[in-house]
């Protein structure tokens, strides 16, 4: 029976427990051959960063028996034991400003006992410096420092500026030891979700190797297509049986829902390991990553700057824009990328630009469900039948009835979360149409302009133009005047042109005009 290492972050437990292990030890060999001292890797949550750090720990502790049969196991590494200090900051939520001090005190006490250090009344940064020096002097070997989720105290306080600044100052002081204690260090490897532009470590360490976008490390976390097929064939077969489909059908479901991440210009597409392993272990398709939490700041920043969601979820940006995250101006694109809701879809080497998009169906569903209440919040008495009516009538070719149902839905929008501008109306309409399962595209470009919303069903194509505080006739005239339907004339399906007008006075869909071609 296949044992899936769900939530297992200790390399020794994975190996001794007989869990499936995807061999990532070739990346350790790359690190050794490069001879670098300072490394930084950013990846979204639940992507295997902690397990990789644990693998580094046991490697530098000389535990060769754990690496038998793995890539690095046959290397000519001397397998000497180095002092390893693993600083795990992922264990708390850091709501109180002094929580970091408590976490560090507990970790440092263990190290101080191990290296026989007489604890004095000094601050955490000084204690850390003393520990690094003592470990080197006592063992005669330079120290390996592994920092797991270096940014957790900051990520936990993205919406609390006062706490954020307190933690920023404390972490900057703590990490300054990596420069001042350089002679005592063999390797420093830090992981996290975000790279904060105003944290001094990124400016102080001028030889920091940020491998976040490095092609050589693109697959260091996550599971590639070849790794999936090589290690989980039995699991895919079992999933196929439960889903009443073929091996190929089950593989498609996995790819559609959990694949699609890419972390470097030439990187492979990567499966989310958390969702993939949960799915195979439970033999059931589900949105497992979504259940691990979403940052409220994400929706708040999108709403605050009036982001056009359609364009945000298919956009271009430079690498330097993705690397830094500034609390005073948290732009949504780097926030979406660093938290895993956008990923690399393509790279233009000439322009040095990345094209970003939503990775997969799981992320899209979770993100849209999370964002919708920020644009549309229905009162409790709003009937679910309204949503059913939208779907059913679009599928059956009854756009008049579908829009009546949509009017009912929007009429239930909470007064406190009113749609107060044209952009929010477009966002709300877009999120709703996509979430209820209709095949929806936005900003569909034609030779004369772009279609606001295009909805396709097996038998019908709907071309929809949205207007805010303008009449529906002008929306329909725009569709006809710019010949938005011309690219679809050869399609055998029936085509409906629909102009929709939303009124800010009534906070509802006011009217619509429909024309069938």
């Amino acid at each position: 029976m296949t044992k899936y290492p769900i939530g297992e972050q200790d390399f020794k437990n994975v190996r001794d427990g007989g869990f499936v292990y995807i061999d990532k030890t070739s990346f350790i060999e790359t690190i050794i051959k490069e001879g670098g001292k300072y490394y930084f890797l950013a990846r979204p949550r639940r992507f295997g960063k902690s397990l990789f750090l644990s693998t580094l720990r046991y490697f530098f502790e000389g535990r060769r028996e754990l690496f038998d049969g793995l890539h690095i196991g046959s290397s000519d590494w001397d397998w000497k034991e180095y002092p390893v200090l693993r600083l795990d900051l992922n264990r708390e939520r850091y709501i109180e400003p002094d929580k970091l001090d408590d976490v560090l005190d507990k970790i440092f006490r263990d190290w101080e006992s191990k290296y026989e250090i007489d604890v004095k009344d000094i601050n955490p940064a000084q204690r850390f410096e003393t520990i690094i020096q003592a470990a080197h002097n006592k063992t005669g070997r330079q120290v390996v420092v592994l920092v797991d989720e270096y940014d957790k105290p900051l990520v936990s306080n993205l919406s609390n500026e006062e706490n954020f600044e307190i933690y920023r100052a404390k972490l900057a002081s703590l990490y300054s030891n990596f420069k001042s204690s350089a002679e005592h260090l063999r390797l420093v490897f830090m992981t996290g979700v975000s790279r904060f532009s105003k944290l001094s470590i990124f400016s102080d360490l001028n030889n920091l190797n940020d491998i976040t976008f490095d092609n050589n490390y693109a697959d260091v976390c996550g599971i590639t297509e070849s790794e999936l097929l090589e290690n989980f064939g039995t699991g895919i077969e079992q999933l196929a049986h439960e889903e009443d489909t073929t091996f190929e059908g089950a593989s498609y479901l996995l790819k559609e829902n959990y694949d699609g991440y890419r972390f470097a210009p030439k990187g492979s597409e990567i499966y989310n390991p958390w969702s993939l392993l949960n799915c195979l272990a439970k033999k059931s398709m589900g949105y497992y990553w979504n259940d691990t939490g979403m940052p409220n700041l994400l929706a708040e920043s999108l709403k605050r700057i009036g982001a056009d969601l359609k364009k945000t979820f298919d956009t271009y940006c430079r690498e330097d824009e993705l690397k830094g995250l500034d609390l005073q101006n948290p732009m949504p694109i780097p926030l979406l990328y660093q938290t895993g809701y956008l990923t690399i879809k393509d790279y233009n080497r000439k322009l040095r630009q990345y094209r970003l998009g939503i990775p997969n169906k799981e992320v899209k569903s979770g993100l849209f469900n999370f964002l919708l209440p920020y644009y549309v919040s229905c009162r409790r008495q709003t009937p679910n039948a309204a949503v059913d009516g939208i779907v059913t009538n679009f599928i059956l070719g009854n756009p008049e009835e579908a829009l009546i149902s949509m009017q009912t839905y929007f009429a239930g929008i909470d007064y406190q979360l009113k749609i107060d501008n044209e952009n929010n109306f477009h966002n709300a309409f877009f999120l709703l149409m996509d979430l209820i399962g209709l095949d929806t595209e936005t900003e569909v470009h034609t030779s004369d302009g772009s279609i606001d919303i295009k909805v396709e069903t097996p038998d019908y194509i709907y071309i929809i133009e949205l207007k805010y505080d303008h009449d529906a006739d002008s929306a329909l005239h725009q569709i006809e005047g710019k010949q938005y339907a011309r690219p679809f004339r050869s399609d055998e399906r029936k085509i409906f042109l629909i102009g929709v007008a939303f009124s800010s006075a009534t906070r509802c869909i006011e009217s619509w005009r429909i024309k069938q071609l």
Side-chain angles (χ1 to χ4, degrees), residues 392-405:
T392 302
N393 284 296
F394 270 121
I395 291 175
L396 295 178
N398 300 323
E400 181 75 27
E401 297 299 322
L403 287 162
I404 291 173
S405 296

Side-chain angles (χ1 to χ4, degrees), residues 36 50 75 79 135 221 257 288 299 302 370 402 404 428 465 473 495 502:
S50 297
S75 72
W79 296 98
C221 292
N257 284 277
Y288 302 101
L302 288 168
F370 179 68
I404 291 173
E465 182 69 24
D473 285 326
I495 299 175
F502 187 92

Side-chain angles (χ1 to χ4, degrees), residues 390 402-411 413 419 425 429 432-433 466-467 472 499-504 506-513:
I390 298 171
L403 287 162
I404 291 173
S405 296
M406 185 167 283
Q407 187 180 52
T408 302
Y409 185 91
F410 276 94
I413 294 174
I419 297 175
F425 171 49
F429 199 101
L432 176 61
M433 295 291 279
L466 308 176
K467 292 296 182 183
V500 179
F502 187 92
S503 169
S504 61
T506 62
R507 300 183 301 281
C508 191
I509 292 178
E510 186 74 10
S511 61
W512 55 83
R513 295 290 181 269

